[in-house]
Amino acid sequence: QVQLVESGGGLVQAGGSLRLSCVAPGMSRITFSSHGMGWFRQAPGKARELVATIGAPDYVYYTDSAKGRFTITRDNAKNTVSLQMQSLTPEDTGVYYCQARTAQSQYWGQGTQVTVSS
């Protein structure tokens, strides 16, 4: 079973920034580098939605809400994927989940709470 551990969430005022990190401690570097990685979020009462993905190799994709404000990066040497978030708004509030995926499987972290106050 693949374990993904997110960190970096918290409470921030509108206009502020946060950096989320996700590490896969049990994966080998080769295995991690072969997985596409993504960040999703789930706002209260809403379905989980995609925020950004970074492939293997490093093709990145952002949803319209994230484009221009968020940056997803990965460090295969550290089994880590990060999400730098800027210009946060209350609409960005939710639990942020890390996902690791291949064509055959997908794994999720436990989530980290991001709360943006107005």
Side-chain angles (χ1 to χ4, degrees), residues 39-43 47-49 51 65 70 91-92 95-96:
W39 285 97
F40 290 70
R41 68 186 179 193
Q42 187 165 18
R48 191 174 299 187
E49 63 177 5
V51 176
S65 64
F70 295 0
E91 288 67 39
D92 295 314
V95 179
Y96 283 68

Side-chain angles (χ1 to χ4, degrees), residues 83-100:
L83 185 69
Q84 178 68 45
M85 304 187 294
Q86 301 180 135
S87 303
L88 287 163
T89 74
E91 288 67 39
D92 295 314
T93 293
V95 179
Y96 283 68
Y97 295 92
C98 174
Q99 182 203 53

Side-chain angles (χ1 to χ4, degrees), residues 17-117:
S17 301
L18 281 175
R19 183 178 180 85
L20 307 183
S21 293
C22 171
V23 62
M27 276 189 177
S28 70
R29 292 178 184 177
I30 292 176
T31 299
F32 180 83
S33 65
S34 70
H35 280 68
M37 302 298 296
W39 285 97
F40 290 70
R41 68 186 179 193
Q42 187 165 18
K46 295 188 177 181
R48 191 174 299 187
E49 63 177 5
L50 174 66
V51 176
T53 64
I54 184 165
D58 300 346
Y59 175 79
V60 297
Y61 170 81
Y62 300 98
T63 59
D64 287 345
S65 64
K67 204 172 297 183
R69 300 188 301 128
F70 295 0
T71 303
I72 186 170
T73 56
R74 66 189 297 163
D75 184 341
N76 291 334
K78 297 181 179 180
N79 283 15
T80 300
V81 61
S82 299
L83 185 69
Q84 178 68 45
M85 304 187 294
Q86 301 180 135
S87 303
L88 287 163
T89 74
E91 288 67 39
D92 295 314
T93 293
V95 179
Y96 283 68
Y97 295 92
C98 174
Q99 182 203 53
R101 71 188 183 281
T102 65
Q104 295 79 31
S105 60
Q106 60 181 346
Y107 305 98
W108 295 91
Q110 82 289 347
T112 185
Q113 177 71 44
V114 171
T115 303
V116 184
S117 62

